[in-house]
Amino acid sequence: MQIRKFKLEDAQEVSSVIRRSIIYRDNRGYTLEQLYSIANHYSAETLCSDLENKQIFVCEENGKIVGTATLNKDELMTCFIVPEYQNKGIGNKFVKLRENEAVKKGLSRVWLVSSIPSYNYYKKQGYSLVSEKNHPYWGKGFIMEKYLS
């Protein structure tokens, strides 16, 4: 497996990876309408917008993208891994990579919005709850932060 920076020609495949990950992950606490609303948000066009402020990374296995993660200013975003590659350490690598990139940018704190099923994962990674968020179309999430050293 190789983690590399996103290229524009990856946009459709990354969008597909995100959609698949959202629809087939552990979705406790979300309605089907909320899941499709979240998945539809991550179009190729949306991924390619604001690239001057965000860094997108992909994880490839045998030339196929199996995961993606984004750092947008001080926010860790879009950490999605296709179901058959989950629980293989890719998420941990993405978290460390994004935190290291944030430190390189001179940031001392990062934040994210966690889904209900991912909340305990991020707690184990050292993130603390700031507040709960209830998005009108996407449902419940948790705003979490971590101070970096």
Side-chain angles (χ1 to χ4, degrees), residues 2-28:
Q2 170 196 356
I3 294 179
R4 63 168 174 81
K5 288 190 175 182
F6 169 87
K7 298 180 243 177
L8 287 176
E9 57 266 24
D10 296 330
Q12 284 291 24
E13 189 174 0
V14 170
S15 176
S16 177
V17 162
I18 292 171
R19 290 178 58 80
R20 192 162 155 233
S21 175
I22 289 168
I23 300 303
Y24 295 107
R25 71 178 180 198
D26 177 356
N27 288 311
R28 287 171 289 151

Side-chain angles (χ1 to χ4, degrees), residues 22 25 27-39 113-117 131-143:
I22 289 168
R25 71 178 180 198
N27 288 311
R28 287 171 289 151
Y30 297 101
T31 67
L32 199 54
E33 291 81 16
Q34 289 168 329
L35 295 173
Y36 279 103
S37 180
I38 297 166
V113 179
S114 170
S115 65
I116 296 167
S131 64
E132 290 185 18
K133 175 181 183 172
N134 199 358
H135 190 281
Y137 302 111
W138 300 349
K140 186 175 184 175
F142 301 97
I143 298 173

